[in-house]
Amino acid sequence: DIQMTQSPSTLSASVGDTVTITCRASQSINGWLAWYQQKQGRAPKLLIYRASSLQTGVPSRFNGGGSGTEFTLTITSLQPDDFATYYCQQYNGYLTFGQGTKVEIK
Amino acid sequence: QVQLVQSGAEVKRPGASVKVSCKPSGYRFTDYYIHWVRQAPGQGLEWMGWINPDSGGTNYAQKFQGRVTMTRDTSLTTAYMEVTSLTSDDTAVYYCARDSTILAASDYWGQGTLVTVSS
């Protein structure tokens, strides 16, 4: 099975900062990588699909990149609403999620 | 608009079973697979499997094979996920999510169903 490793597990940042989260797959996933945002007590929300495509309605400060086995989610000019937990997910007939990255206020 | 509405919270004894429902609306039920994902308290997301509402075909994560059954009722346009032989480790929020093969992601999620296993 494909394993997904996210880093860091926690990230402390301030409003206006630019932050980057990394997700590594145990084997090539051909760009079938999605990013979700989850707030406490809420269902995950799709942000990025196919590694770099922005889901409808998601602000352009969210940017996904990467290929092969290494992927990134960058949030430019962090806003108060962005403090949440972020998960990557591979899609290959089955799903595997990363462990999550909590973005907290510094 | 697309919505997935799940059944309410459950409290179960160890050894019991639980069946959670997921009723999508706003699209044709049989056009999209449904994933089931769970999240234990303070933990990450764990994929359990998917069901094809058109054929009823399923694919379970190896961890849950033999203990989880996903079904659907096309007349009620509802998907179900049953877990048997519950233990305290099954205490979690269970989510259904619509699969989009075009996006290669889950674009709509249910609100979640909290299942608490306690003696």
Side-chain angles (χ1 to χ4, degrees):
Chain A
D1 283 6
I2 298 171
Q3 306 301 316
M4 305 299 291
T5 304
Q6 252 181 271
S7 60
S9 55
T10 307
L11 194 160
S12 297
S14 302
V15 172
D17 285 353
T18 294
V19 299
T20 297
I21 300 167
T22 298
C23 183
R24 289 186 174 87
S26 59
Q27 64 190 70
S28 177
I29 57 174
N30 297 313
W32 303 123
L33 191 284
W35 290 97
Y36 298 87
Q37 177 194 67
Q38 187 181 33
K39 296 182 179 178
Q40 187 68 30
R42 304 291 298 273
K45 172 187 173 184
L46 178 64
L47 300 175
I48 302 286
Y49 61 93
R50 292 192 175 186
S52 60
S53 295
L54 197 64
Q55 173 65 336
T56 303
V58 174
S60 58
R61 63 180 180 273
F62 291 92
N63 184 56
S67 62
T69 62
E70 186 155 336
F71 301 88
T72 57
L73 173 68
T74 299
I75 311 172
T76 304
S77 186
L78 206 59
Q79 297 300 300
D81 192 49
D82 301 337
F83 292 97
T85 300
Y86 294 84
Y87 294 93
C88 63
Q89 174 216 81
Q90 71 82 21
Y91 180 99
N92 191 23
Y94 60 96
L95 309 181
T96 312
F97 292 92
Q99 306 96 311
T101 296
K102 183 177 182 180
V103 178
E104 61 181 23
I105 300 173
K106 184 186 287 184
Chain B
Q1 75 282 20
V2 175
Q3 281 188 303
L4 284 75
V5 177
Q6 298 183 223
S7 49
E10 303 260 15
V11 179
K12 295 292 182 181
R13 300 293 189 198
S17 301
V18 68
K19 192 170 187 177
V20 179
S21 68
C22 170
K23 184 172 176 61
S25 59
Y27 69 94
R28 186 187 302 181
F29 177 66
T30 51
D31 281 353
Y32 294 84
Y33 286 27
I34 295 286
H35 293 282
W36 288 92
V37 175
R38 77 177 186 179
Q39 187 170 39
Q43 302 301 308
L45 302 169
E46 182 175 33
W47 179 73
M48 300 178 71
W50 55 249
I51 182 168
N52 176 346
D54 189 22
S55 67
T58 55
N59 181 23
Y60 302 132
Q62 189 165 8
K63 173 179 178 177
F64 298 103
Q65 285 181 4
R67 207 165 65 89
V68 167
T69 304
M70 297 176 188
T71 57
R72 93 296 188 212
D73 185 325
T74 54
S75 64
L76 297 178
T77 61
T78 300
Y80 303 92
M81 192 277 305
E82 183 175 27
V83 185
T84 60
S85 302
L86 290 166
T87 72
S88 58
D89 290 343
D90 295 312
T91 293
V93 176
Y94 290 76
Y95 293 101
C96 63
R98 189 180 84 161
D99 176 87
S100 169
T101 53
I102 294 174
L103 305 184
S106 297
D107 55 355
Y108 290 93
W109 292 65
Q111 83 276 19
T113 297
L114 175 61
V115 175
T116 303
V117 183
S118 174
S119 55

